[in-house]
Amino acid sequence: MPGKIAAPIGASWRGKQCWKALAMADFLFIHGSWHGAWCWHKVVPRVEAAGHRAVAIDLPGRGRSPAVPIFVSLGAMVDAAERALVQGRKTTLVVHSRNGIVASTLAERAPDRIARIIYVASFMLPTGKRVLDYLPDGHSMLSDKVEVSRATLSDRLDPGAYREALYADCSDDDVALARSLLVREPSRPALTRLKLTPDRYGRVPRAYVRLTQDRAVSLPLQDRLLNETPVDRVESIAASHSAYFSRPDELARTIVELARA
């Protein structure tokens, strides 16, 4: 197993006292491909109920941040995330799936404003790499289900693959919500090679949450990413790619616990 494996979260949690043991922290939740801030709607209130500040943002090109995909660069996404950081306090970034590249680049840009990055089945890439270098993922159900438009520099997942690839353990209501809100993803960021340095990105603490039943960012790919970029803590949740829908309690507890490390 790559990385440092901590004791199971459940072993260290003893009711509400442990849930509230962490002094108030600031969390910024960053969604993955095709999604928006809405995908964290179960997790954010649970983190807030534990006494923390939690904000989920829409990256450019979706939700309350409309933009034409062809004009959305990785830099534009990082700008949006940076604007959401709390002034005068360090923020813990929680990032899902493809947009791990946003959190990593933000940490390189503003390391003194980031308390920690928690990657959730996310593309945690080393410097010089781009998302495209890891695709296709031969173990992923997305491999032949993503349609890319060269004209608009955007991509979309075949709606017929939504449940199987992203929401295998989610309720019908969760899948219906996603179907109504998923949008095209700007492709330019996935083509951008990261520029990360030990003196900046390298000094920001990192943790990783493996989703062991993930059919989108496969477990072999998650473990490859962990082998290439060291982290302080690794936790695992038996969930599909969308643990924020299917395991919100466990995911929220895990995130808060990792922020204490």
Side-chain angles (χ1 to χ4, degrees):
M1 178 65 62
K4 177 182 177 183
I5 307 299
I9 290 294
S12 63
W13 286 75
R14 294 292 182 266
K16 293 183 179 179
Q17 291 79 11
C18 194
W19 175 256
K20 295 180 179 292
L22 173 66
M24 186 186 71
D26 295 287
F27 292 88
L28 178 62
F29 288 83
I30 301 172
H31 60 79
S33 300
W34 313 305
H35 290 69
W38 54 268
C39 71
W40 298 106
H41 77 278
K42 294 183 182 182
V43 174
V44 165
R46 285 165 166 81
V47 173
E48 290 177 328
H52 308 293
R53 293 194 185 103
V55 174
I57 61 168
D58 287 312
L59 292 174
R62 65 220 77 201
R64 291 165 291 184
S65 184
V68 178
I70 199 169
F71 297 122
V72 177
S73 64
L74 176 57
M77 287 188 170
V78 176
D79 289 344
E82 185 174 18
R83 287 193 294 269
L85 296 178
V86 177
Q87 294 295 326
R89 290 171 58 90
K90 288 191 174 185
T91 301
T92 294
L93 306 180
V94 182
V95 63
H96 185 239
S97 196
R98 188 193 305 188
N99 287 327
I101 60 176
V102 175
S104 298
T105 305
L106 178 54
E108 174 69 19
R109 180 188 292 185
D112 293 331
R113 301 185 66 188
I114 309 301
R116 173 176 292 273
I117 305 173
I118 300 174
Y119 296 89
V120 181
S122 188
F123 277 76
M124 180 179 63
L125 307 186
T127 190
K129 294 291 188 178
R130 56 183 181 167
V131 170
L132 192 62
D133 293 336
Y134 295 81
L135 302 176
D137 171 5
H139 300 278
S140 171
M141 291 187 176
L142 299 183
S143 296
D144 60 351
K145 302 296 184 182
V146 178
E147 173 264 317
V148 179
S149 168
R150 294 183 181 275
T152 63
L153 278 181
S154 66
D155 56 78
R156 66 186 285 271
L157 178 63
D158 177 356
Y162 285 174
R163 177 178 285 281
E164 183 179 26
L166 301 180
Y167 312 115
D169 57 352
C170 300
S171 71
D172 290 343
D173 286 344
D174 290 332
V175 177
L177 175 68
R179 284 186 181 278
S180 70
L181 294 173
L182 289 173
V183 297
R184 298 191 70 90
E185 180 75 12
S187 298
R188 285 177 61 194
L191 305 176
T192 304
R193 296 190 183 278
L194 299 195
K195 297 179 181 179
L196 308 174
T197 62
D199 291 341
R200 297 183 69 80
Y201 172 74
R203 61 185 164 94
V204 176
R206 298 181 297 275
Y208 202 97
V209 180
R210 299 163 73 247
L211 300 180
T212 62
Q213 298 172 10
D214 198 329
R215 300 176 180 179
V217 180
S218 70
L219 192 59
L221 177 54
Q222 292 176 55
D223 287 343
R224 175 186 171 187
L225 296 169
L226 280 164
N227 277 321
E228 293 180 357
T229 301
V231 299
D232 303 313
R233 295 277 302 278
V234 179
E235 293 291 347
S236 298
I237 295 176
S240 73
H241 191 61
S242 300
Y244 40 63
F245 286 164
S246 62
R247 300 287 189 276
D249 289 322
E250 185 175 359
L251 181 57
R253 287 195 302 269
T254 301
I255 287 167
V256 171
E257 175 69 9
L258 288 173
R260 300 173 61 198

